[in-house]
Amino acid sequence: MTGLRLYNTLTRQKEDFSPIDPKHVRMYVCGPTVYDYAHIGNARPVIVFDVLFRLLRHLYGENNVVYTRNITDVDDKINDRAARDYPDLPLNDAIRKVTEATNAQYQADVAALGCLPPTHQPRATEHIEAMKALCERLVERGVAYVAEGHVLFSPEAMNAHKNAWPTYGKLANRSLDEMIAGARVDVAPYKRGATDFVLWKPSSENEPGWPSPCGMAGKGRPGWHIECSAMSMATLLEPFGGGLSCDDPMRNTFDIHGGGIDLVFPHHENEIAQSCCAFGSARMANVWMHNGFLQVEGQKMSKSLGNFRTIREVLNDWPGEVARLNMLRTHYRQPIDWTEAALAESVAMLEGWYRKAGDVTPGAVDSATLEALSDDMNMPAAIAAMHQISDPASLKATGALLGLLGQSAAEREAEAKAGVDAAAVDELVAARLEARAAKNFAESDRIRDELAAMGIALKDGKDASGNPVTTWEVKR
Ligand code: AMP
Ligand code: ZN
């Protein structure tokens, strides 16, 4: 058995994974901005990194993995939505309504997709003091400055320093000079450099705000990038002896940072800039992992194209487990085309596995599947290996490792029946028996076909006194 290998966006190659502290393997994944229902594209990182979480727990021990997925509940998109949906409420009350409702829906959606709760789910609003402390540290170090109520980070100042910290642009593989050359011309007047980004900005009376850092009067709110630097510090560094009060930069790196490929630049590049400059560390996280994008029926998903699918909508049509498997059948780094045809195939694949596994107690995880997973989560290879498993107990355990095949036969039967109008089926079954009694076989066959199209299979028999009876079940 070879060890875990992961593709690292930072080095652009697959590397042997070795945790900084095998008793506390630490992973951070950027979570949702809670202003609207999550779409099926947002589900991809959640499912992909849930599989990695499960794999790490399997390899390093259930209690030895710390997984943080944050909730961004400070963002201007939230403010806009709150003002639109609750025009009569004070903005801060409206914001609370939007974020609470959206977060509750998100938690229900991802649970239905079979994802384990992460160890920590910090909310940005709970870590404002840490964000302010980071702003102050970055100003002290000369890589950030205060201007017109803002705190801004200067990538140029970062790269001018001869220090342990990395070069700005390394993750995205872009040079700062090119970025400067390509920057928009209408740069905000308070910015010294075209690539400077916001750590903190002023809030009007009506906007969410906290007393500003760096000696500024008035209230303000954090920018998006600093939120993740603060929440990863609070949950993955400070509990392990790192953080702003730690003078050993080696303690200020965690193991894995993940998110969708769209976050590489600027979000992750900026997270790295903030964290590495604040701590003097060479890496914010050792391994940077990014999932590819999701499109629907061959097209980019967008509201204007009418092919926008929320997780909720998908779960109305398909069991969560089907959606989960469907997401996992494409390698996480490849783009995925989300199609109804693939979902139907996923149904059949799960059926086959459930039929083979039956109701057995899970045994040992299949080594060929584990090998495939350990090779940068090669899910297509893992699924191919799962098709070769003949031992039901091993199939069940291997499914469990992926968050699949967890239902008992009784649960599956109940789930299948829940989607069927039993009274209507009973009526059709009775009508068919009558047609047969009257020897109207054309009609009885027609009813059988109608039921088959509804996914109902019939079994004809006789009762104790020899009268024909028909029972039915939901076909798999
Ligand atoms: P957002 O709420 O837009 O910040 O996105 C939350 C997460 O979903 C991030 O990790 C994004 O990279 C990811 N994401 C957004 N859209 C898609 C998509 N179409 N396909 C895959 N991942 C996506
Ligand atoms: Zn982030």
Side-chain angles (χ1 to χ4, degrees), residues 46-66:
V46 184
I47 295 173
V48 161
F49 290 103
D50 178 69
V51 169
L52 183 55
F53 181 39
R54 288 168 184 268
L55 178 62
L56 291 168
R57 282 158 53 106
H58 180 80
L59 296 174
Y60 293 94
E62 266 198 16
N63 298 317
N64 297 336
V65 184
V66 187

PDB file of all heavy atoms in Angstrom, residues 46-66:
ATOM      1  N   VAL A  46     -17.946  20.754  -1.383  1.00  0.00           N
ATOM      2  CA  VAL A  46     -18.402  20.181  -0.114  1.00  0.00           C
ATOM      3  C   VAL A  46     -18.288  18.656  -0.160  1.00  0.00           C
ATOM      4  O   VAL A  46     -17.774  18.029   0.772  1.00  0.00           O
ATOM      5  CB  VAL A  46     -19.863  20.612   0.188  1.00  0.00           C
ATOM      6  CG1 VAL A  46     -20.280  20.086   1.558  1.00  0.00           C
ATOM      7  CG2 VAL A  46     -19.995  22.124   0.145  1.00  0.00           C
ATOM      8  N   ILE A  47     -18.716  18.067  -1.271  1.00  0.00           N
ATOM      9  CA  ILE A  47     -18.681  16.601  -1.394  1.00  0.00           C
ATOM     10  C   ILE A  47     -17.240  16.113  -1.578  1.00  0.00           C
ATOM     11  O   ILE A  47     -16.807  15.152  -0.934  1.00  0.00           O
ATOM     12  CB  ILE A  47     -19.575  16.141  -2.567  1.00  0.00           C
ATOM     13  CG1 ILE A  47     -21.045  16.465  -2.269  1.00  0.00           C
ATOM     14  CG2 ILE A  47     -19.394  14.651  -2.833  1.00  0.00           C
ATOM     15  CD1 ILE A  47     -21.992  16.215  -3.430  1.00  0.00           C
ATOM     16  N   VAL A  48     -16.493  16.780  -2.436  1.00  0.00           N
ATOM     17  CA  VAL A  48     -15.110  16.361  -2.707  1.00  0.00           C
ATOM     18  C   VAL A  48     -14.274  16.386  -1.420  1.00  0.00           C
ATOM     19  O   VAL A  48     -13.573  15.418  -1.098  1.00  0.00           O
ATOM     20  CB  VAL A  48     -14.480  17.282  -3.784  1.00  0.00           C
ATOM     21  CG1 VAL A  48     -12.961  17.197  -3.776  1.00  0.00           C
ATOM     22  CG2 VAL A  48     -15.041  16.933  -5.168  1.00  0.00           C
ATOM     23  N   PHE A  49     -14.378  17.478  -0.671  1.00  0.00           N
ATOM     24  CA  PHE A  49     -13.538  17.566   0.530  1.00  0.00           C
ATOM     25  C   PHE A  49     -14.119  16.747   1.685  1.00  0.00           C
ATOM     26  O   PHE A  49     -13.386  16.398   2.610  1.00  0.00           O
ATOM     27  CB  PHE A  49     -13.258  19.033   0.894  1.00  0.00           C
ATOM     28  CG  PHE A  49     -12.339  19.670  -0.122  1.00  0.00           C
ATOM     29  CD1 PHE A  49     -12.825  20.530  -1.096  1.00  0.00           C
ATOM     30  CD2 PHE A  49     -10.990  19.335  -0.146  1.00  0.00           C
ATOM     31  CE1 PHE A  49     -11.982  21.073  -2.070  1.00  0.00           C
ATOM     32  CE2 PHE A  49     -10.138  19.871  -1.111  1.00  0.00           C
ATOM     33  CZ  PHE A  49     -10.636  20.735  -2.075  1.00  0.00           C
ATOM     34  N   ASP A  50     -15.386  16.397   1.599  1.00  0.00           N
ATOM     35  CA  ASP A  50     -15.929  15.438   2.574  1.00  0.00           C
ATOM     36  C   ASP A  50     -15.284  14.069   2.350  1.00  0.00           C
ATOM     37  O   ASP A  50     -14.960  13.366   3.313  1.00  0.00           O
ATOM     38  CB  ASP A  50     -17.451  15.339   2.437  1.00  0.00           C
ATOM     39  CG  ASP A  50     -18.040  14.315   3.403  1.00  0.00           C
ATOM     40  OD1 ASP A  50     -18.013  14.574   4.619  1.00  0.00           O
ATOM     41  OD2 ASP A  50     -18.490  13.249   2.944  1.00  0.00           O
ATOM     42  N   VAL A  51     -15.090  13.694   1.101  1.00  0.00           N
ATOM     43  CA  VAL A  51     -14.423  12.416   0.829  1.00  0.00           C
ATOM     44  C   VAL A  51     -12.980  12.464   1.332  1.00  0.00           C
ATOM     45  O   VAL A  51     -12.490  11.511   1.948  1.00  0.00           O
ATOM     46  CB  VAL A  51     -14.478  12.067  -0.676  1.00  0.00           C
ATOM     47  CG1 VAL A  51     -13.562  10.894  -0.998  1.00  0.00           C
ATOM     48  CG2 VAL A  51     -15.911  11.743  -1.088  1.00  0.00           C
ATOM     49  N   LEU A  52     -12.316  13.597   1.118  1.00  0.00           N
ATOM     50  CA  LEU A  52     -10.941  13.703   1.616  1.00  0.00           C
ATOM     51  C   LEU A  52     -10.922  13.644   3.152  1.00  0.00           C
ATOM     52  O   LEU A  52     -10.058  12.985   3.749  1.00  0.00           O
ATOM     53  CB  LEU A  52     -10.298  14.999   1.113  1.00  0.00           C
ATOM     54  CG  LEU A  52      -8.833  15.201   1.513  1.00  0.00           C
ATOM     55  CD1 LEU A  52      -7.952  14.021   1.087  1.00  0.00           C
ATOM     56  CD2 LEU A  52      -8.285  16.497   0.907  1.00  0.00           C
ATOM     57  N   PHE A  53     -11.874  14.299   3.786  1.00  0.00           N
ATOM     58  CA  PHE A  53     -11.988  14.257   5.257  1.00  0.00           C
ATOM     59  C   PHE A  53     -12.140  12.806   5.722  1.00  0.00           C
ATOM     60  O   PHE A  53     -11.445  12.338   6.621  1.00  0.00           O
ATOM     61  CB  PHE A  53     -13.208  15.102   5.662  1.00  0.00           C
ATOM     62  CG  PHE A  53     -13.473  15.211   7.145  1.00  0.00           C
ATOM     63  CD1 PHE A  53     -12.450  15.336   8.072  1.00  0.00           C
ATOM     64  CD2 PHE A  53     -14.798  15.233   7.613  1.00  0.00           C
ATOM     65  CE1 PHE A  53     -12.730  15.468   9.436  1.00  0.00           C
ATOM     66  CE2 PHE A  53     -15.084  15.369   8.964  1.00  0.00           C
ATOM     67  CZ  PHE A  53     -14.054  15.475   9.875  1.00  0.00           C
ATOM     68  N   ARG A  54     -13.028  12.065   5.058  1.00  0.00           N
ATOM     69  CA  ARG A  54     -13.253  10.665   5.436  1.00  0.00           C
ATOM     70  C   ARG A  54     -11.994   9.825   5.198  1.00  0.00           C
ATOM     71  O   ARG A  54     -11.644   8.960   6.009  1.00  0.00           O
ATOM     72  CB  ARG A  54     -14.416  10.083   4.623  1.00  0.00           C
ATOM     73  CG  ARG A  54     -15.776  10.619   5.034  1.00  0.00           C
ATOM     74  CD  ARG A  54     -16.827  10.223   3.996  1.00  0.00           C
ATOM     75  NE  ARG A  54     -18.133  10.775   4.288  1.00  0.00           N
ATOM     76  CZ  ARG A  54     -19.083  10.163   4.998  1.00  0.00           C
ATOM     77  NH1 ARG A  54     -18.863   8.958   5.502  1.00  0.00           N
ATOM     78  NH2 ARG A  54     -20.250  10.743   5.201  1.00  0.00           N
ATOM     79  N   LEU A  55     -11.318  10.100   4.083  1.00  0.00           N
ATOM     80  CA  LEU A  55     -10.097   9.346   3.770  1.00  0.00           C
ATOM     81  C   LEU A  55      -9.011   9.639   4.815  1.00  0.00           C
ATOM     82  O   LEU A  55      -8.331   8.726   5.296  1.00  0.00           O
ATOM     83  CB  LEU A  55      -9.620   9.719   2.356  1.00  0.00           C
ATOM     84  CG  LEU A  55      -8.336   9.077   1.864  1.00  0.00           C
ATOM     85  CD1 LEU A  55      -8.460   7.547   1.795  1.00  0.00           C
ATOM     86  CD2 LEU A  55      -7.964   9.617   0.469  1.00  0.00           C
ATOM     87  N   LEU A  56      -8.850  10.906   5.163  1.00  0.00           N
ATOM     88  CA  LEU A  56      -7.841  11.270   6.182  1.00  0.00           C
ATOM     89  C   LEU A  56      -8.174  10.623   7.519  1.00  0.00           C
ATOM     90  O   LEU A  56      -7.286  10.134   8.224  1.00  0.00           O
ATOM     91  CB  LEU A  56      -7.773  12.801   6.338  1.00  0.00           C
ATOM     92  CG  LEU A  56      -7.193  13.575   5.150  1.00  0.00           C
ATOM     93  CD1 LEU A  56      -7.453  15.073   5.308  1.00  0.00           C
ATOM     94  CD2 LEU A  56      -5.694  13.313   4.993  1.00  0.00           C
ATOM     95  N   ARG A  57      -9.466  10.605   7.867  1.00  0.00           N
ATOM     96  CA  ARG A  57      -9.868   9.953   9.130  1.00  0.00           C
ATOM     97  C   ARG A  57      -9.556   8.462   9.091  1.00  0.00           C
ATOM     98  O   ARG A  57      -9.135   7.876  10.085  1.00  0.00           O
ATOM     99  CB  ARG A  57     -11.370  10.174   9.374  1.00  0.00           C
ATOM    100  CG  ARG A  57     -11.698  11.565   9.893  1.00  0.00           C
ATOM    101  CD  ARG A  57     -13.143  11.967   9.635  1.00  0.00           C
ATOM    102  NE  ARG A  57     -14.122  11.017  10.120  1.00  0.00           N
ATOM    103  CZ  ARG A  57     -14.892  11.201  11.208  1.00  0.00           C
ATOM    104  NH1 ARG A  57     -14.770  12.312  11.919  1.00  0.00           N
ATOM    105  NH2 ARG A  57     -15.769  10.308  11.558  1.00  0.00           N
ATOM    106  N   HIS A  58      -9.755   7.865   7.917  1.00  0.00           N
ATOM    107  CA  HIS A  58      -9.450   6.440   7.779  1.00  0.00           C
ATOM    108  C   HIS A  58      -7.943   6.193   7.931  1.00  0.00           C
ATOM    109  O   HIS A  58      -7.519   5.251   8.594  1.00  0.00           O
ATOM    110  CB  HIS A  58      -9.941   5.953   6.413  1.00  0.00           C
ATOM    111  CG  HIS A  58      -9.683   4.504   6.150  1.00  0.00           C
ATOM    112  ND1 HIS A  58     -10.490   3.504   6.661  1.00  0.00           N
ATOM    113  CD2 HIS A  58      -8.698   3.880   5.465  1.00  0.00           C
ATOM    114  CE1 HIS A  58     -10.011   2.325   6.291  1.00  0.00           C
ATOM    115  NE2 HIS A  58      -8.929   2.521   5.556  1.00  0.00           N
ATOM    116  N   LEU A  59      -7.147   7.074   7.320  1.00  0.00           N
ATOM    117  CA  LEU A  59      -5.698   6.860   7.310  1.00  0.00           C
ATOM    118  C   LEU A  59      -5.035   7.263   8.631  1.00  0.00           C
ATOM    119  O   LEU A  59      -4.067   6.629   9.058  1.00  0.00           O
ATOM    120  CB  LEU A  59      -5.052   7.649   6.162  1.00  0.00           C
ATOM    121  CG  LEU A  59      -5.460   7.230   4.741  1.00  0.00           C
ATOM    122  CD1 LEU A  59      -4.861   8.201   3.722  1.00  0.00           C
ATOM    123  CD2 LEU A  59      -5.012   5.794   4.439  1.00  0.00           C
ATOM    124  N   TYR A  60      -5.541   8.335   9.268  1.00  0.00           N
ATOM    125  CA  TYR A  60      -4.834   8.868  10.443  1.00  0.00           C
ATOM    126  C   TYR A  60      -5.594   8.674  11.749  1.00  0.00           C
ATOM    127  O   TYR A  60      -5.071   9.003  12.818  1.00  0.00           O
ATOM    128  CB  TYR A  60      -4.517  10.364  10.233  1.00  0.00           C
ATOM    129  CG  TYR A  60      -3.516  10.546   9.126  1.00  0.00           C
ATOM    130  CD1 TYR A  60      -3.926  10.792   7.822  1.00  0.00           C
ATOM    131  CD2 TYR A  60      -2.153  10.392   9.371  1.00  0.00           C
ATOM    132  CE1 TYR A  60      -3.007  10.899   6.788  1.00  0.00           C
ATOM    133  CE2 TYR A  60      -1.234  10.504   8.345  1.00  0.00           C
ATOM    134  CZ  TYR A  60      -1.662  10.753   7.052  1.00  0.00           C
ATOM    135  OH  TYR A  60      -0.755  10.848   6.045  1.00  0.00           O
ATOM    136  N   GLY A  61      -6.816   8.153  11.656  1.00  0.00           N
ATOM    137  CA  GLY A  61      -7.617   7.942  12.873  1.00  0.00           C
ATOM    138  C   GLY A  61      -8.727   8.976  12.952  1.00  0.00           C
ATOM    139  O   GLY A  61      -8.488  10.161  12.687  1.00  0.00           O
ATOM    140  N   GLU A  62      -9.899   8.505  13.340  1.00  0.00           N
ATOM    141  CA  GLU A  62     -11.097   9.350  13.337  1.00  0.00           C
ATOM    142  C   GLU A  62     -10.943  10.635  14.112  1.00  0.00           C
ATOM    143  O   GLU A  62     -11.483  11.676  13.731  1.00  0.00           O
ATOM    144  CB  GLU A  62     -12.276   8.581  13.940  1.00  0.00           C
ATOM    145  CG  GLU A  62     -13.074   7.913  12.887  1.00  0.00           C
ATOM    146  CD  GLU A  62     -14.460   7.491  13.326  1.00  0.00           C
ATOM    147  OE1 GLU A  62     -14.971   7.957  14.362  1.00  0.00           O
ATOM    148  OE2 GLU A  62     -15.006   6.673  12.589  1.00  0.00           O
ATOM    149  N   ASN A  63     -10.230  10.564  15.222  1.00  0.00           N
ATOM    150  CA  ASN A  63     -10.150  11.748  16.078  1.00  0.00           C
ATOM    151  C   ASN A  63      -8.915  12.593  15.804  1.00  0.00           C
ATOM    152  O   ASN A  63      -8.633  13.534  16.540  1.00  0.00           O
ATOM    153  CB  ASN A  63     -10.171  11.318  17.552  1.00  0.00           C
ATOM    154  CG  ASN A  63     -11.471  10.613  17.869  1.00  0.00           C
ATOM    155  OD1 ASN A  63     -12.542  11.060  17.439  1.00  0.00           O
ATOM    156  ND2 ASN A  63     -11.395   9.495  18.570  1.00  0.00           N
ATOM    157  N   ASN A  64      -8.194  12.256  14.737  1.00  0.00           N
ATOM    158  CA  ASN A  64      -6.928  12.948  14.494  1.00  0.00           C
ATOM    159  C   ASN A  64      -6.977  13.912  13.308  1.00  0.00           C
ATOM    160  O   ASN A  64      -5.931  14.341  12.814  1.00  0.00           O
ATOM    161  CB  ASN A  64      -5.802  11.934  14.281  1.00  0.00           C
ATOM    162  CG  ASN A  64      -5.591  11.085  15.522  1.00  0.00           C
ATOM    163  OD1 ASN A  64      -5.929  11.504  16.629  1.00  0.00           O
ATOM    164  ND2 ASN A  64      -5.056   9.891  15.345  1.00  0.00           N
ATOM    165  N   VAL A  65      -8.181  14.223  12.850  1.00  0.00           N
ATOM    166  CA  VAL A  65      -8.303  15.142  11.718  1.00  0.00           C
ATOM    167  C   VAL A  65      -9.175  16.318  12.143  1.00  0.00           C
ATOM    168  O   VAL A  65     -10.264  16.126  12.686  1.00  0.00           O
ATOM    169  CB  VAL A  65      -8.931  14.436  10.495  1.00  0.00           C
ATOM    170  CG1 VAL A  65      -8.962  15.380   9.289  1.00  0.00           C
ATOM    171  CG2 VAL A  65      -8.159  13.162  10.159  1.00  0.00           C
ATOM    172  N   VAL A  66      -8.671  17.517  11.927  1.00  0.00           N
ATOM    173  CA  VAL A  66      -9.426  18.731  12.257  1.00  0.00           C
ATOM    174  C   VAL A  66      -9.780  19.424  10.944  1.00  0.00           C
ATOM    175  O   VAL A  66      -8.898  19.806  10.174  1.00  0.00           O
ATOM    176  CB  VAL A  66      -8.590  19.699  13.130  1.00  0.00           C
ATOM    177  CG1 VAL A  66      -9.449  20.868  13.591  1.00  0.00           C
ATOM    178  CG2 VAL A  66      -7.998  18.964  14.321  1.00  0.00           C
TER     179      VAL A  66
END
